[in-house]
């Protein structure tokens, strides 16, 4: 029996959902599949194997002396595990983050879109000790997906993963290079070559649609504007979905997506760790660097327990390994109180703000660690205000006013945080927006929605039209006399409009452009989430950093059989693959040569390369 499988490759947790595909494709309009969560066998403690419905997105790199015992443990289980010497994923790895932080990879997904280092470089765990064999973000992502693939085959030995309809989710804000790195890791882990990438906020909407196959058409109407606020462990993802009338029915369109915001539950854990560290310092315990990291991870459990509606505890202990034999039990500890946790997280991450407020930009230090580029202002409410400012109106009679909100992500399991976000958004609008969905599926909605998406794609159900999340531009150096000390002016030409559908291609109108061949050259690309009206061929002579954001420059050599040839007149043709990857083809005007530039970060020899070019 074939299945539609949805994989949520989360920053903090991975979840897999699946639904049987119907043999008869004639399915009622309001039908919805019976979706199940995949049990994921994993080490949860010494000598213990369990199969919860989520796999913590942590990878522990064991010491040489630990590999043997770990291998015995996994081989003694009925489950099929990847070899532990390449890293142990899941709950065991998450627990090791507090005790062996220097050997535990955290937030590998966020490193996939980090441009300050080579994305294929072996640098994780970041700033670890010399004895640890470091891994790249791609290797760690592959390791997580390999574990999920093994869990599928353990549960469905007669239904190979390569034969299923698989949908893998990524943040809506992932750039083309990060998407392709995810694709590389997925294929290496055994996913089928025709698997689909789906944006996580869209998957959350699909989960809502699957759970409300009839009701959603009465809750939403033509002209509705739905904001998806997805705050997970490592990122905040914002998406705006519009509802329009089409042929007597309702159609959904993804209107806009926000920037990739590195602020989420991890930042909250770090804020609590800072508070706990101050308490430990007052008690006479000076923490070293790795104790501070361990404290960060220990605070995660305290936050989840104290903010849970099911907990009636007013405080929770936080313990880490101490230094020195005089410590009782080898640990030091303090307590976090529910009241102080709520106050810190509310005022620090969800402060009240006006619709016109914006995240604060601090003056950057001239010397910085090359770590993940976390947001300088963690106020998520201000990030939402900035996102909405360009896409919806606060006017009472505006057709673009925000009407609905859908929350997603583990952070919103807390009723306190969810209610504050609701109150702040409502304060910007003439009418209270309707809150969609339930809080029961916040941890699993993305995986369930992805499974429903694959099922709906086969059965002809409701689809969210979206295409590319941003428009793409190439930087073209203008001709002219050289001026000492001044670069030649650059113009940006739109080569792909925002919303260009997957599997489509288009010619870019405009005059001839010369492309450099036969020697190294630098190619510059830009993207925009705000210039939604630009069409292919639109040329910009000037722009602001908020309008266009430059990708990594691409430094490469386009091949030519003629050693004397330096420039070739070309025309552009853009393509968006079924995976959502952007390709730019340069077609020679006077012959049949063509060069393809693909955002795939496959060239380790060029430190700044984020694409390759193939001549055909």
């Amino acid at each position: 029996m074939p299945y539609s499988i949805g994989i949520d490759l989360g920053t903090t947790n991975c979840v897999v959902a699946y639904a049987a595909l119907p043999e008869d494709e004639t399915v009622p309009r309001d039908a919805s599949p019976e979706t199940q969560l995949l049990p994921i066998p994993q080490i949860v403690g010494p000598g213990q194997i369990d199969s919860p419905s989520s796999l913590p997105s942590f990878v522990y790199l064991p010491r040489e002396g630990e590999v043997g015992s770990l291998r015995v443990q996994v081989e003694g289980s009925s489950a099929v595990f990847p070899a532990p010497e390449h890293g142990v994923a899941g709950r065991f790895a998450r627990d090791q983050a507090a005790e062996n932080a220097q050997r535990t990879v955290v937030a590998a997904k966020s490193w996939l879109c980090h441009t300050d280092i080579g994305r294929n470089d072996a640098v994780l765990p970041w700033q670890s000790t010399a004895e640890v064999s470091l891994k790249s973000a791609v290797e760690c992502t592959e390791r997580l997906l390999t574990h999920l693939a093994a869990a599928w085959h353990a549960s469905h030995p007669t239904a190979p993963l390569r034969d299923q309809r698989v949908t893998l989710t990524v943040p809506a804000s992932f750039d083309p290079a990060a998407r392709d790195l995810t694709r590389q890791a997925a294929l290496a882990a055994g996913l089928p070559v025709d698997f689909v990438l789906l944006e996580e906020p869209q998957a959350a909407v699909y989960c809502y649609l699957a759970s409300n196959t009839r009701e959603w058409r009465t809750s939403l109407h033509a002209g509705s504007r739905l904001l998806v606020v997805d705050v997970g462990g490592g990122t905040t993802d914002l998406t705006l979905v519009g509802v329009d009338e089409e042929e007597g029915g309702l159609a959904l369109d993804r209107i806009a997506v926000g920037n990739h915001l590195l602020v989420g539950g991890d930042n909250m854990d770090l804020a609590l760790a800072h508070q706990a560290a101050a308490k430990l310092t007052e008690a006479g315990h000076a923490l070293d660097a790795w104790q501070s990291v361990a404290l960060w991870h220990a605070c995660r459990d305290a936050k989840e327990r104290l903010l849970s509606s099911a907990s009636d505890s007013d405080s929770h202990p936080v313990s880490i390994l101490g230094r020195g034999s005089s410590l009782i039990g080898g640990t030091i500890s303090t307590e976090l109180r529910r009241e102080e946790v709520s106050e810190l997280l509310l005022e620090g991450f969800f402060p009240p703000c006006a619709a016109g407020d914006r995240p604060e930009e601090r003056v950057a230090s001239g010397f910085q660690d090359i770590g993940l580029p976390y947001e300088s202002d963690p106020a998520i409410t201000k990030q939402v205000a900035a996102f909405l400012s360009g896409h919806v109106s606060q006017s009472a009679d505006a057709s673009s006013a925000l009407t609905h909100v859908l929350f997603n992500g583990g952070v919103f399991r807390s009723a306190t945080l969810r209610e504050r976000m609701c109150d702040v958004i409502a304060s910007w609008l003439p009418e209270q927006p309707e809150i969609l969905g339930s809080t029961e599926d916040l941890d699993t909605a993305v995986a369930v929605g992805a499974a429903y998406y694959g099922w709906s794609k086969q059965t002809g159900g409701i689809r969210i039209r979206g295409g590319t999340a941003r428009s793409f531009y190439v930087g073209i150096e203008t001709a002219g006399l050289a001026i000492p000390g001044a670069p030649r002016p650059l113009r940006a030409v739109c080569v792909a409009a925002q919303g260009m559908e997957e599997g489509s291609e288009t010619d870019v109108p405009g005059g001839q452009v010369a492309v450099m061949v036969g020697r190294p050259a630098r190619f510059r690309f830009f993207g925009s989430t705000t210039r939604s009206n630009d069409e292919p061929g639109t040329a910009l002579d000037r722009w602001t950093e908020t309008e266009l954001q430059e990708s990594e420059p691409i430094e490469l050599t386009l091949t030519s059989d003629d050693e004397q040839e330096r420039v070739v007149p070309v025309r552009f043709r853009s393509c968006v693959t079924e995976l959502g990857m952007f390709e730019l083809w340069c077609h020679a005007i006077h012959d049949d040569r063509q060069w393809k530039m693909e955002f795939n970060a496959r060239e380790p020899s060029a430190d700044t390369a984020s694409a390759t070019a193939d001549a055909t």
Side-chain angles (χ1 to χ4, degrees):
M1 176 183 294
Y3 295 92
S4 171
I5 303 173
I7 301 176
D8 174 12
L9 181 66
T11 308
T12 305
N13 287 287
C14 300
V15 180
V16 179
Y18 62 97
L21 290 169
E23 297 180 3
D24 181 2
E25 296 187 7
T26 304
V27 177
R29 176 189 181 193
D30 294 328
S32 181
E34 181 180 346
T35 304
Q36 303 178 63
L37 297 179
L38 179 71
I40 306 174
Q42 57 196 274
I43 301 175
V44 297
Q48 294 181 300
I49 303 290
D50 197 6
S51 299
S53 58
S54 65
L55 178 78
S57 305
F58 296 72
V59 177
Y60 175 67
L61 306 178
R63 297 174 178 84
E64 186 175 345
E66 295 176 292
V67 171
S69 61
L70 287 170
R71 184 184 293 116
V72 169
Q73 184 169 345
V74 299
E75 288 178 352
S77 168
S78 60
V80 179
F81 289 89
E85 53 263 37
H86 301 304
V88 178
R91 189 179 298 177
F92 176 80
R94 184 188 65 186
D95 293 343
Q96 292 300 313
E99 300 177 7
N100 293 286
Q102 73 276 18
R103 288 187 164 273
T104 308
V105 178
V106 181
K109 187 169 81 170
S110 294
W111 287 91
L112 287 176
C113 56
H114 188 20
T115 60
D116 289 345
I117 62 168
R119 305 192 202 196
N120 268 311
D121 292 350
V123 297
L124 302 177
W126 182 247
Q127 295 183 329
S128 188
T129 55
E131 65 175 5
V132 179
S133 179
L134 302 180
K135 304 292 183 181
S136 70
V138 178
E139 289 177 298
C140 294
T141 302
E142 178 187 339
R143 183 65 184 75
L144 293 170
L145 289 171
T146 300
H147 194 116
L148 297 178
W152 172 263
H153 289 128
S155 179
H156 298 78
T158 61
L161 188 64
R162 65 177 179 273
D163 296 334
Q164 312 311 313
R165 182 185 290 275
V166 178
T167 302
L168 177 64
T169 64
V170 292
S173 51
F174 252 23
D175 65 15
R179 286 172 182 256
D180 194 66
L181 289 169
T182 305
R183 182 183 70 87
Q184 292 178 46
L187 294 177
L191 270 66
V193 294
D194 60 348
F195 83 93
V196 175
L197 290 177
L198 178 67
E199 295 170 8
E200 292 164 3
Q202 286 196 47
V205 176
Y206 278 115
C207 179
Y208 165 73
L209 297 175
S211 301
N212 300 271
T213 54
R214 292 184 174 86
E215 295 83 355
W216 77 265
R217 290 184 173 86
T218 57
S219 295
L220 298 171
H221 52 80
S224 293
R225 293 293 180 267
L226 167 63
L227 171 66
V228 184
V229 184
D230 185 353
V231 183
T235 60
T236 291
D237 221 355
L238 305 173
T239 290
L240 190 65
V241 176
V243 183
D244 297 307
E245 188 170 0
E246 185 177 273
E247 297 179 355
L250 296 179
L252 303 179
D253 292 277
R254 195 258 282 112
I255 299 173
V257 300
N259 295 324
H260 193 68
L261 302 174
L262 285 181
V263 57
D266 290 345
N267 303 70
M268 300 177 191
D269 302 334
L270 187 60
L272 293 175
H274 181 75
Q275 190 171 63
K279 292 185 175 184
L280 291 172
T281 300
E282 290 177 2
H285 303 298
L287 306 184
D288 63 24
W290 286 112
Q291 281 180 307
S292 297
V293 174
L295 184 62
W296 175 20
H297 296 300
C299 284
R300 178 184 299 108
D301 185 53
K303 177 198 69 179
E304 294 178 352
R305 291 179 181 274
L306 290 175
L307 294 182
S308 171
S309 57
S311 173
D312 57 0
S313 176
D314 291 328
S315 64
H316 192 274
V318 175
S319 302
I320 58 173
L321 290 178
R323 293 288 186 266
S325 58
S326 63
L327 294 167
I328 299 175
T331 63
I332 56 178
S333 64
T334 185
E335 285 200 343
L336 291 176
R337 293 181 292 107
R338 180 194 297 270
E339 182 180 350
E340 63 183 343
V341 168
S342 296
E343 181 179 359
L344 176 63
L345 300 188
L346 280 175
E347 301 310 316
F349 294 89
F350 296 91
C353 68
D357 287 349
R358 296 294 177 267
E360 296 179 9
E361 294 291 338
R362 63 177 177 85
V363 178
S365 171
F367 298 102
Q368 300 181 12
D369 279 337
I370 308 178
L372 287 174
Y374 292 106
E375 301 304 313
S376 58
D377 186 343
I380 293 172
T381 46
K382 294 181 182 178
Q383 300 286 358
V384 175
F387 170 69
L388 289 178
S389 65
H391 302 293
V392 300
S393 171
Q394 280 76 45
S395 172
D397 58 355
S399 60
S400 62
L402 183 66
T403 57
H404 298 76
V405 176
L406 177 67
F407 290 117
N408 193 57
V411 165
F412 288 122
R413 286 199 305 267
S414 166
T416 302
L417 303 183
R418 194 170 60 249
E419 290 167 4
R420 169 60 67 86
M421 190 74 248
C422 286
D423 292 341
V424 174
I425 293 176
S427 71
W428 305 333
L429 302 171
E431 295 184 8
Q432 177 97 17
E434 181 180 349
I435 307 301
L436 300 179
S438 69
T439 60
E440 298 177 357
D441 53 10
L442 290 174
D443 291 323
T444 60
V446 168
V448 171
Y452 176 70
Y453 167 83
W455 184 89
S456 179
K457 190 173 183 180
Q458 174 163 316
T459 60
I462 185 68
R463 297 282 301 280
I464 303 172
R465 299 177 302 199
T468 58
R470 49 179 50 80
S471 47
F472 292 100
Y473 305 76
V474 295
I476 299 175
E477 190 176 276
T478 59
L481 298 174
I483 301 175
R488 283 197 171 96
L490 194 74
R491 75 174 183 274
V493 174
C494 180
V495 291
Q498 183 176 328
M500 187 174 176
E501 293 287 346
E502 289 85 355
S504 65
E505 51 186 54
T506 184
D507 289 318
V508 179
Q512 295 182 14
V513 174
V515 65
M516 186 72 65
V517 298
R519 60 178 178 175
R522 171 175 288 194
F523 300 85
R524 297 175 66 179
F525 287 81
F526 301 81
S528 175
T529 59
T530 58
R531 297 189 63 91
S532 58
N533 295 323
D534 285 353
E535 296 293 334
T538 300
L540 306 177
D541 294 323
R542 60 180 62 87
W543 56 87
T544 66
E545 291 185 358
T546 57
E547 287 182 296
L548 301 189
Q549 296 82 44
E550 185 168 7
S551 304
E552 299 171 71
I554 302 167
E555 295 182 356
L556 43 77
T557 301
L558 300 184
T559 58
S560 173
D561 294 333
D562 185 351
E563 295 183 357
Q564 304 302 315
E565 191 174 38
R566 286 293 175 262
V567 295
V568 177
V570 297
R571 57 182 176 81
F572 294 135
R573 184 169 183 80
S574 296
C575 172
V576 178
T577 69
E578 290 291 344
L579 275 176
M581 300 302 302
F582 171 61
E583 299 175 347
L584 181 68
W585 289 82
C586 302
H587 294 267
I589 298 294
H590 303 301
D591 53 49
D592 59 358
R593 287 179 298 170
Q594 56 186 5
W595 294 266
K596 179 183 72 171
M597 294 188 181
E598 178 185 15
F599 287 83
N600 58 23
R602 291 176 188 160
E603 288 293 316
S605 59
D607 291 339
T608 58
S610 62
T612 58
D614 302 316
T616 57

